[in-house]
Amino acid sequence: MTDQIRISFPDGSSREFPRGITVAEVAAAIGPRLAKAAVAATVGEGRVDLGYRIEADAPVSMITLDSPEGVEIYRHSISHVMAQAVKRLFPEVKFAIGPAIENGFYYDFDLPVPLAPGDLPRIEAEMARIVKEALPFKRLEMKKEEALKFFREAGQKYKVELIEALPGEKVSLYQQGDFIDLCLGPHLPSTDRIKAFKLQSIAGAYWRGDSQREMLQRIYGVAFPTQAELDNYLHMLEEAAKRDHRKLGKELDLFSLMDEGPGFPFFHPKGMILRNTLEDFWREEHRKRGYQEVKTPIILNEKLWRQSGHWDHYKENMYFTRIDDEDYAVKPMNCPGGMLLYKREIHSYRDLPLRVAELGLVHRHELSGALHGLMRVRCFTQDDAHIFMLPSQIRSEIEGVIDLADHIYRVFGFEYHVELSTKPENAMGSDEIWEKATASLQEALEGKKMDYRVNEGDGAFYGPKIDFHLRDCLGRTWQCGTIQLDFLMPERFDLTYVGEDGEKHRPVMLHRTIFGSMERFIGILIEHYAGAFPTWLSPVQVKVISVGEAHLPYAREVQKLLDDHRVRVERDERNEKLGYKIREAQMARIPYMLVIGDKEVETASVAVRSRDRGDLGTMPAVDFLNKVTGEIAGKK
RNA sequence: GCCCUCGUAGCUCAAUUGGUGGAGCAGGCGAUUUGUAAUCGCCAGGUUACCCGUUCAAAUCGGGUCGGGGGCUCCA
């Protein structure tokens, strides 16, 4: 045993150091810049603090604030500082957990008094004090019994519960100043490395996410390595709030939610144009791909829902009613109705695949606290389809849906990612069937060379699924499209087709959506475009604005020309100044304004103002017509 | 559903310590006849979400109901 150890670095180099050297000293030996930027390191397999002593040969890579890992450690350390501040202000606090999250951190507290927003500045001020005190984070290791004793005596029941669930003999604790918390680490070397954070909100959160357990108080904070990054993020949030679909929906007169129908949106005339335009597009794309369209009833006999399995697996989310002394349910999904339609006639293998689409209005009882504008509602229209197919057609049908989804999302310029969800706890059917179905979905994804994440246990109760998650302006992702492979419903409903051999066989089915729900998709579009829809989607595409009374007849002619060619055009001939009418049209996010005055009347032209690019100059009315109809046809 | 928070005119917001609810925009009427983001004047508009209480007196304080917002849980 020598006193030297050999440390290797990510660039392939290696150097000898004295045994027991700290990570910080290694960083310093490499260079002062690294020493300053490092917050922790990976030694061998594990992440350790800068104060960690390296006792044996190992690969070492420094973790700096430039990396996601470094920022995570930074944010996590701030959550400890927040906990310490809360402890100073509320000595009776009990601590739950406090992880780093995207853009920041949170910590869950059990407090005898409710926190108010006014407490946040006080906690922030206390945190600033702790940062200034430059308290080192010290790692302590304890035997589990010892740690349990420590936290029991401190009355920290949540920590006791956490430790009891931890594997191994020892646990690690971190101390800064007089504050000690159970934590795996690593942490910043000292609180004065913290530069920019802001406490954001207080929220309720269940202990361990279990609605049967204690309701804790969670404080969310945002944090970045520099003040500039924090300011930038806060500014982004402000910009995002400006395009909130609830606000724009009201301003642009698209939809509303009334006290009389929480979660049941009303669509206004302009919202309906948007919606119908999307439906027209959707129908056309489906028609091209060999889909038929059906409509099934909203209320169906309860027996059907028992047969489908919804009664056992989905009752909590359903609405029920009674008709002529019989029990009925309002449909939460379209599939059982689709099953009945399949069964209305005998099918040959030659008919398959059968692609049956339905814009189906479904109702689901969502918890009142979960409702959110158009994004989370209690009734919505799914752009559903059920594909009945031979087992040999599974893969090509799935691929067809993936292509269709990609085609449709592309038109809107959406980025998306894909998730594969597997068998949930309350599932119907055997493991074998689930494995087979999941493997089929996987094969299709791999065949398409798509990256995907696996979401264990998140499938529908009747089958695994592929979900498409679109990314919105807040960086939130929304589940829109879904492809669910189902071997069970055909079984439950005894669906058959006659095979080549003249015998009855069981078809396989696919449930799928692209938009997901029309309502949610419209909400996402509003935020995505900040209300400034591309011309083809705009409820009003062109506003004809006449300067004076003398220009009215020609203005009407221009309007008629556009209207005859199916351009959605309105005319503003009010006795107002031009600037006033322009301003109003601009605020309504109308893509084009046509100013009609003396010059235009004389030359049969229009002065075109673009919502996005301002004054485009004068052009013959017919040229503008061609321009705008071209945009509409090209879905621009 | 649970925790916190909020609810004033169609919309966005005011209203000292509890002391007779105001403004801008939108709307109606009138004047103005207008060239690229707001012309002027007048008028009308509210059982302060709803119910119960405390008080001489409640938009304001307390309790409840309904609804909104931020989360948790759940999900298209």
Side-chain angles (χ1 to χ4, degrees), chain A residues 44 55 107 156 174 182 223 310 333 348 374 430 436 477 499 517 544 570 576:
Chain A
E55 302 289 352
Y107 211 117
Q156 295 291 343
Y174 276 80
L182 174 73
H310 285 83
M333 296 188 195
S348 155
L374 290 181
S430 68
K436 191 171 140 197
T477 54
S517 105
V544 177
E570 285 182 354
E576 293 289 350

Side-chain angles (χ1 to χ4, degrees), chain A residues 144-368:
Chain A
K144 266 172 84 169
E145 290 71 42
E146 207 183 334
L148 282 170
K149 183 164 176 284
F150 173 78
F151 283 110
R152 271 201 196 102
E153 282 170 7
Q156 295 291 343
K157 62 173 185 167
Y158 302 101
K159 296 295 175 188
V160 169
E161 191 177 328
L162 289 172
I163 295 168
E164 280 169 347
L166 285 176
E169 299 286 295
K170 288 166 125 186
V171 296
S172 60
L173 287 73
Y174 276 80
Q175 173 169 24
Q176 81 264 21
D178 55 0
F179 177 77
I180 299 181
D181 197 0
L182 174 73
C183 189
L184 194 58
H187 277 288
L188 299 175
S190 160
T191 58
D192 66 351
R193 293 290 292 269
I194 294 167
K195 301 297 176 197
F197 66 89
K198 183 170 170 49
L199 301 188
Q200 259 198 321
S201 58
I202 301 160
Y206 298 112
W207 169 233
R208 305 211 135 174
D210 183 344
S211 60
Q212 302 305 310
R213 304 208 54 182
E214 294 90 332
M215 175 60 73
L216 307 170
Q217 301 192 68
R218 175 173 297 178
I219 300 179
Y220 280 97
V222 291
F224 289 87
T226 63
Q227 187 64 38
E229 285 169 273
L230 176 62
D231 290 344
N232 191 32
Y233 176 73
L234 294 175
H235 181 254
M236 192 279 286
L237 282 187
E238 279 172 34
E239 289 303 306
K242 285 185 198 162
R243 49 172 81 198
D244 187 308
H245 77 285
R246 293 165 298 185
K247 178 170 143 31
L248 287 171
K250 197 182 275 184
E251 283 173 16
L252 300 177
D253 197 20
L254 300 173
F255 70 91
S256 52
L257 285 151
M258 316 245 186
D259 289 356
E260 289 81 356
F264 301 117
F266 287 68
F267 276 80
H268 303 353
K270 289 193 169 69
M272 279 311 291
I273 290 173
L274 189 54
R275 190 175 173 137
N276 287 334
T277 305
L278 290 171
E279 286 188 7
D280 291 347
F281 169 49
W282 182 91
R283 286 203 167 89
E284 181 58 17
E285 294 304 322
H286 284 73
R287 188 195 58 78
K288 285 185 205 162
R289 289 168 179 79
Y291 282 79
Q292 303 170 290
E293 188 177 348
V294 299
K295 186 76 89 185
T296 67
I298 287 175
I299 297 177
L300 290 164
N301 197 295
E302 195 182 287
K303 288 184 195 126
L304 178 75
W305 302 103
R306 290 180 187 270
Q307 186 181 2
S308 68
H310 285 83
W311 179 266
D312 291 329
H313 296 91
Y314 212 71
K315 196 169 51 175
E316 302 309 307
N317 286 294
M318 293 171 66
Y319 299 107
F320 296 93
T321 187
R322 224 174 145 72
I323 303 172
D324 292 343
D325 296 325
E326 288 265 341
D327 292 314
Y328 283 76
V330 182
K331 69 175 176 183
M333 296 188 195
N334 302 303
C335 35
M339 300 288 130
L340 298 182
L341 280 180
Y342 181 90
K343 281 170 76 80
R344 79 189 186 279
E345 55 189 5
I346 295 203
H347 295 276
S348 155
Y349 70 97
R350 294 171 193 275
D351 302 336
L352 304 183
L354 201 59
R355 306 189 185 104
V356 188
E358 171 171 16
L359 289 168
L361 177 62
V362 297
H363 289 70
R364 298 183 183 175
H365 179 76
E366 299 292 344
L367 296 179
S368 58

Side-chain angles (χ1 to χ4, degrees), chain A residues 18 52 79 87 92 96 99 112 131 165-166 172 204 212 214 221 308 381 383 397 414 429 468 488 498 508 585 600 636:
Chain A
Y52 178 82
S79 90
K87 176 83 177 170
E92 66 283 25
V131 168
L166 285 176
S172 60
Q212 302 305 310
E214 294 90 332
S308 68
T381 302
D383 65 316
E397 286 306 306
F414 276 123
F468 293 82
L488 295 168
V498 179
V508 186
E600 290 72 27
K636 304 285 187 225

Side-chain angles (χ1 to χ4, degrees), chain A residues 24-45:
Chain A
E25 286 159 355
V26 172
I30 297 171
R33 278 189 63 188
L34 184 63
K36 208 171 162 225
V39 293
T42 305
V43 174
E45 297 293 299

Side-chain angles (χ1 to χ4, degrees), chain A residues 36 129 141 186 197 209 263 294 334 368 400 439 467 480 506-507 509 534:
Chain A
K36 208 171 162 225
R129 218 163 286 145
E141 288 195 352
F197 66 89
V294 299
N334 302 303
S368 58
D467 292 321
C480 290
R506 188 75 73 213
M509 75 179 285

Side-chain angles (χ1 to χ4, degrees), chain A residues 82-96:
Chain A
M82 178 167 77
Q84 183 177 15
V86 169
K87 176 83 177 170
R88 285 186 182 177
L89 296 170
F90 305 90
E92 66 283 25
V93 61
K94 291 192 190 73
F95 298 102

